[in-house]
Tab-separated table of all heavy atoms in Angstrom:
chain	number	residue	atom	x	y	z
A	192	GLY	N	12.974	-64.701	22.166
A	192	GLY	CA	12.202	-63.670	21.329
A	192	GLY	C	12.295	-63.986	19.866
A	192	GLY	O	12.926	-65.011	19.475
A	193	VAL	N	11.642	-63.204	18.977
A	193	VAL	CA	11.666	-63.369	17.586
A	193	VAL	C	12.060	-62.066	16.897
A	193	VAL	O	11.466	-61.021	17.197
A	193	VAL	CB	10.254	-63.905	17.109
A	193	VAL	CG1	10.302	-64.053	15.563
A	193	VAL	CG2	9.911	-65.226	17.778
A	194	ALA	N	13.058	-62.126	16.016
A	194	ALA	CA	13.533	-60.876	15.343
A	194	ALA	C	12.424	-60.560	14.292
A	194	ALA	O	11.582	-61.339	13.874
A	194	ALA	CB	14.841	-61.172	14.590
A	195	PRO	N	12.388	-59.295	13.910
A	195	PRO	CA	11.337	-58.771	12.906
A	195	PRO	C	11.287	-59.733	11.682
A	195	PRO	O	12.308	-60.086	11.097
A	195	PRO	CB	11.859	-57.399	12.516
A	195	PRO	CG	12.598	-56.903	13.753
A	195	PRO	CD	13.309	-58.119	14.305
A	196	LEU	N	10.066	-60.150	11.379
A	196	LEU	CA	9.904	-61.104	10.283
A	196	LEU	C	10.223	-60.458	8.924
A	196	LEU	O	9.729	-59.379	8.655
A	196	LEU	CB	8.460	-61.563	10.245
A	196	LEU	CG	8.203	-62.866	9.343
A	196	LEU	CD1	8.708	-64.048	10.029
A	196	LEU	CD2	6.695	-62.990	9.010
A	197	ALA	N	11.093	-61.186	8.210
A	197	ALA	CA	11.422	-60.714	6.854
A	197	ALA	C	10.299	-60.995	5.921
A	197	ALA	O	9.551	-62.006	6.099
A	197	ALA	CB	12.671	-61.416	6.365
A	198	ASP	N	10.051	-60.110	4.919
A	198	ASP	CA	9.004	-60.336	3.949
A	198	ASP	C	9.323	-61.535	3.104
A	198	ASP	O	10.430	-61.921	2.961
A	198	ASP	CB	8.843	-59.108	3.088
A	198	ASP	CG	7.482	-59.002	2.499
A	198	ASP	OD1	6.658	-59.899	2.641
A	198	ASP	OD2	7.179	-57.975	1.786
A	199	GLY	N	8.296	-62.156	2.571
A	199	GLY	CA	8.436	-63.305	1.718
A	199	GLY	C	7.066	-63.901	1.433
A	199	GLY	O	6.056	-63.333	1.874
A	200	GLU	N	7.075	-65.007	0.706
A	200	GLU	CA	5.822	-65.617	0.352
A	200	GLU	C	6.012	-67.166	0.601
A	200	GLU	O	6.937	-67.754	0.048
A	200	GLU	CB	5.548	-65.329	-1.114
A	200	GLU	CG	4.302	-65.975	-1.753
A	200	GLU	CD	3.077	-65.199	-1.289
A	200	GLU	OE1	3.077	-63.972	-0.956
A	200	GLU	OE2	1.919	-65.890	-1.264
A	201	HIS	N	5.227	-67.709	1.423
A	201	HIS	CA	5.329	-69.118	1.682
A	201	HIS	C	4.263	-69.908	0.830
A	201	HIS	O	3.137	-69.453	0.774
A	201	HIS	CB	5.099	-69.441	3.155
A	201	HIS	CG	5.291	-70.892	3.509
A	201	HIS	ND1	4.261	-71.774	3.571
A	201	HIS	CD2	6.446	-71.557	3.767
A	201	HIS	CE1	4.767	-72.974	3.861
A	201	HIS	NE2	6.052	-72.902	3.978
A	202	ALA	N	4.630	-71.042	0.275
A	202	ALA	CA	3.706	-71.774	-0.644
A	202	ALA	C	2.414	-72.104	-0.016
A	202	ALA	O	1.371	-72.014	-0.694
A	202	ALA	CB	4.430	-73.056	-1.107
A	203	LEU	N	2.426	-72.477	1.270
A	203	LEU	CA	1.137	-72.867	1.935
A	203	LEU	C	0.503	-71.671	2.675
A	203	LEU	O	-0.710	-71.535	2.597
A	203	LEU	CB	1.515	-74.097	2.902
A	203	LEU	CG	0.275	-74.727	3.501
A	203	LEU	CD1	-0.626	-75.484	2.403
A	203	LEU	CD2	0.794	-75.815	4.525
A	204	LEU	N	1.253	-70.928	3.392
A	204	LEU	CA	0.633	-69.934	4.272
A	204	LEU	C	0.765	-68.501	3.745
A	204	LEU	O	0.122	-67.598	4.382
A	204	LEU	CB	1.297	-70.001	5.692
A	204	LEU	CG	0.696	-71.076	6.536
A	204	LEU	CD1	1.387	-72.358	6.523
A	204	LEU	CD2	0.544	-70.586	8.004
A	205	GLY	N	1.430	-68.275	2.617
A	205	GLY	CA	1.449	-66.922	2.112
A	205	GLY	C	2.400	-66.015	2.832
A	205	GLY	O	3.502	-66.466	3.236
A	206	ARG	N	1.951	-64.758	3.093
A	206	ARG	CA	2.902	-63.805	3.649
A	206	ARG	C	2.842	-63.747	5.129
A	206	ARG	O	2.568	-62.646	5.743
A	206	ARG	CB	2.473	-62.451	3.038
A	206	ARG	CG	3.599	-61.663	2.396
A	206	ARG	CD	3.117	-60.369	1.794
A	206	ARG	NE	4.046	-59.296	2.021
A	206	ARG	CZ	3.798	-58.085	2.120
A	206	ARG	NH1	2.484	-57.695	1.972
A	206	ARG	NH2	4.733	-57.139	2.322
A	207	GLN	N	3.088	-64.791	5.826
A	207	GLN	CA	2.968	-64.811	7.290
A	207	GLN	C	3.652	-66.022	7.861
A	207	GLN	O	4.006	-66.962	7.177
A	207	GLN	CB	1.462	-64.825	7.712
A	207	GLN	CG	0.781	-66.091	7.207
A	207	GLN	CD	-0.650	-66.183	7.732
A	207	GLN	OE1	-1.066	-65.564	8.693
A	207	GLN	NE2	-1.405	-67.026	7.035
A	208	ARG	N	3.914	-65.909	9.096
A	208	ARG	CA	4.437	-67.031	9.959
A	208	ARG	C	3.407	-67.275	11.058
A	208	ARG	O	2.885	-66.274	11.649
A	208	ARG	CB	5.759	-66.695	10.607
A	208	ARG	CG	6.237	-67.689	11.603
A	208	ARG	CD	7.577	-67.320	12.168
A	208	ARG	NE	8.055	-68.408	12.984
A	208	ARG	CZ	8.060	-68.273	14.417
A	208	ARG	NH1	7.671	-67.195	15.004
A	208	ARG	NH2	8.471	-69.299	15.115
A	209	ILE	N	3.045	-68.499	11.312
A	209	ILE	CA	2.211	-68.811	12.430
A	209	ILE	C	2.984	-69.730	13.365
A	209	ILE	O	3.638	-70.700	12.917
A	209	ILE	CB	0.907	-69.512	11.992
A	209	ILE	CG1	0.070	-68.467	11.279
A	209	ILE	CG2	0.127	-70.099	13.204
A	209	ILE	CD1	-1.343	-68.843	10.870
A	210	ASN	N	2.990	-69.405	14.624
A	210	ASN	CA	3.655	-70.235	15.660
A	210	ASN	C	2.639	-70.651	16.685
A	210	ASN	O	1.857	-69.845	17.154
A	210	ASN	CB	4.738	-69.395	16.316
A	210	ASN	CG	5.479	-70.287	17.426
A	210	ASN	OD1	5.081	-70.215	18.568
A	210	ASN	ND2	6.495	-70.960	17.023
A	211	LEU	N	2.671	-71.936	16.978
A	211	LEU	CA	1.795	-72.526	18.007
A	211	LEU	C	2.630	-72.865	19.217
A	211	LEU	O	3.753	-73.380	19.054
A	211	LEU	CB	1.164	-73.835	17.563
A	211	LEU	CG	0.429	-73.844	16.201
A	211	LEU	CD1	0.118	-75.269	15.873
A	211	LEU	CD2	-0.800	-72.969	16.304
A	212	THR	N	2.218	-72.451	20.407
A	212	THR	CA	2.944	-72.919	21.622
A	212	THR	C	1.886	-73.590	22.506
A	212	THR	O	0.912	-73.002	22.884
A	212	THR	CB	3.600	-71.730	22.408
A	212	THR	OG1	2.653	-70.632	22.462
A	212	THR	CG2	4.878	-71.263	21.764
A	213	PHE	N	2.303	-74.884	22.844
A	213	PHE	CA	1.472	-75.679	23.726
A	213	PHE	C	2.056	-75.672	25.111
A	213	PHE	O	3.184	-75.779	25.301
A	213	PHE	CB	1.474	-77.097	23.212
A	213	PHE	CG	0.910	-77.284	21.820
A	213	PHE	CD1	1.662	-77.061	20.695
A	213	PHE	CD2	-0.461	-77.489	21.679
A	213	PHE	CE1	1.067	-77.186	19.385
A	213	PHE	CE2	-1.043	-77.556	20.338
A	213	PHE	CZ	-0.279	-77.468	19.332
A	214	ARG	N	1.151	-75.380	26.006
A	214	ARG	CA	1.538	-75.143	27.462
A	214	ARG	C	0.717	-75.921	28.374
A	214	ARG	O	-0.491	-76.245	28.158
A	214	ARG	CB	1.389	-73.644	27.767
A	214	ARG	CG	2.233	-72.732	26.885
A	214	ARG	CD	1.411	-71.680	26.263
A	214	ARG	NE	2.205	-70.846	25.338
A	214	ARG	CZ	3.093	-69.900	25.715
A	214	ARG	NH1	3.189	-69.550	26.967
A	214	ARG	NH2	3.732	-69.257	24.828
A	215	ARG	N	1.342	-76.237	29.526
A	215	ARG	CA	0.573	-76.731	30.675
A	215	ARG	C	0.516	-75.538	31.584
A	215	ARG	O	1.447	-75.202	32.304
A	215	ARG	CB	1.308	-77.869	31.363
A	215	ARG	CG	0.587	-78.477	32.517
A	215	ARG	CD	-0.508	-79.347	32.140
A	215	ARG	NE	-1.432	-79.545	33.325
A	215	ARG	CZ	-2.636	-80.151	33.207
A	215	ARG	NH1	-2.917	-80.711	32.035
A	215	ARG	NH2	-3.360	-80.329	34.204
A	216	ALA	N	-0.659	-74.851	31.591
A	216	ALA	CA	-0.789	-73.590	32.387
A	216	ALA	C	-1.146	-73.822	33.787
A	216	ALA	O	-0.784	-73.111	34.727
A	216	ALA	CB	-1.816	-72.633	31.692
A	217	ARG	N	-1.988	-74.857	34.047
A	217	ARG	CA	-2.403	-75.262	35.393
A	217	ARG	C	-2.111	-76.736	35.614
A	217	ARG	O	-1.908	-77.291	36.610
A	217	ARG	CB	-3.862	-75.049	35.668
A	217	ARG	CG	-4.116	-73.557	35.759
A	217	ARG	CD	-5.530	-73.227	36.246
A	217	ARG	NE	-5.725	-71.751	36.216
A	217	ARG	CZ	-6.917	-71.230	35.819
A	217	ARG	NH1	-7.907	-71.948	35.529
A	217	ARG	NH2	-7.004	-69.892	35.791
Side-chain angles (χ1 to χ4, degrees):
V193 178
L196 192 78
D198 202 356
E200 179 76 27
H201 185 268
L203 189 62
L204 276 94
R206 232 178 140 207
Q207 61 177 340
R208 167 177 187 258
I209 290 185
N210 180 269
L211 308 173
T212 44
F213 296 89
R214 298 127 187 280
R215 180 79 198 175
R217 287 189 187 142

